[in-house]
Amino acid sequence: MESEHDPNEHAHNTHYRVSDWEVVRVQTYTPDIPTPMSDYDVIVMCYCRYSPIDAPLKSMPKRQVSIDSFGGDEVAYKQYLESEKGKNYAPSGIKS
């Protein structure tokens, strides 16, 4: 996959597949005393089990950006649209 990654086009992941791991148990922890230094109010731990499957590697779909992507902030959405003008995102040609 590294040879097919174009940093000018792909910011992060370009492919995905159904995982070999499955969540079998979830525990959540809420601190008794909130910590002002933490951005999190709940800690979630997922216990997983390895369960191998035969799943194909698929190309990620093209992202869909809307005003909802900016929490309804129309100004931020318009700034994003303006920043995208003139950018030429060529097809990657990656085959799954």
Side-chain angles (χ1 to χ4, degrees):
M1 290 300 126
E2 287 296 319
S3 64
E4 297 175 342
H5 177 76
D6 178 359
N8 295 321
E9 181 182 350
H10 309 120
H12 300 288
N13 295 334
T14 59
H15 287 73
Y16 75 99
R17 71 175 184 162
V18 177
S19 176
D20 292 326
W21 293 92
E22 62 180 320
V23 176
V24 294
R25 189 173 82 191
V26 176
Q27 290 182 327
T28 59
Y29 299 93
T30 306
D32 294 332
I33 301 171
T35 307
M37 297 183 309
S38 175
D39 292 335
Y40 308 102
D41 54 358
V42 176
I43 297 171
V44 179
M45 292 182 60
C46 297
Y47 295 84
C48 301
R49 172 178 41 220
Y50 183 68
S51 181
I53 59 172
D54 184 18
L57 194 60
K58 300 178 182 178
S59 294
M60 296 286 287
K62 186 157 176 69
R63 68 176 183 241
Q64 299 292 318
V65 180
S66 70
I67 193 166
D68 294 332
S69 304
F70 296 87
D73 184 341
E74 190 172 348
V75 172
Y77 178 57
K78 286 182 178 179
Q79 286 174 342
Y80 165 78
L81 291 176
E82 196 61 36
S83 73
E84 291 298 294
K85 284 184 180 177
K87 291 183 180 177
N88 185 14
Y89 295 108
S92 66
I94 295 175
K95 298 182 178 39
S96 54

